[in-house]
Amino acid sequence: MEALLARGDTLLSVSDVVSARLFYERAVDAGGGLAAIRLGETFDPLFLDRVHLHGVRGDPGAALFWYRRARDLGASGAEVLLKALEAK
């Protein structure tokens, strides 16, 4: 799971969001709560603006879905992200 997250992070760092999502999804399928957070962030307009990933369209509904999945998998921090996005 760590290798999947690391590869997703590397791809995200070079703005290859589509490929990063694939690695994060694999890690979520393996039960990774942190991967669900990272996947949610790739859809979260707040995150995308903060990291200056311009040209990537946010999808708040998808972000909420993945943040809820992260919460269900026991990821710390998921609730904070959920609340921030819901408040927007």
Side-chain angles (χ1 to χ4, degrees):
M1 189 174 329
E2 285 184 33
L4 293 171
L5 277 173
R7 184 67 177 139
D9 291 347
T10 298
L11 291 163
L12 189 61
S13 73
V14 295
S15 301
D16 188 352
V17 177
V18 173
S19 297
R21 287 175 179 160
L22 295 174
F23 283 90
Y24 293 147
E25 280 186 55
R26 285 183 176 173
V28 171
D29 289 343
L34 178 57
I37 286 177
R38 299 249 176 91
L39 189 51
E41 287 174 334
T42 69
F43 291 101
D44 186 339
L46 300 172
F47 174 82
L48 296 172
D49 285 343
R50 189 170 60 248
V51 298
H52 307 291
L53 272 174
H54 303 293
V56 178
R57 188 184 316 194
D59 182 344
L64 288 170
F65 171 83
W66 290 111
Y67 290 158
R68 288 183 186 118
R69 180 83 187 271
R71 179 189 59 200
D72 294 345
L73 290 169
S76 62
E79 194 64 41
V80 172
L81 294 167
L82 271 168
K83 288 180 181 178
L85 190 55
E86 289 171 339
K88 182 180 177 206

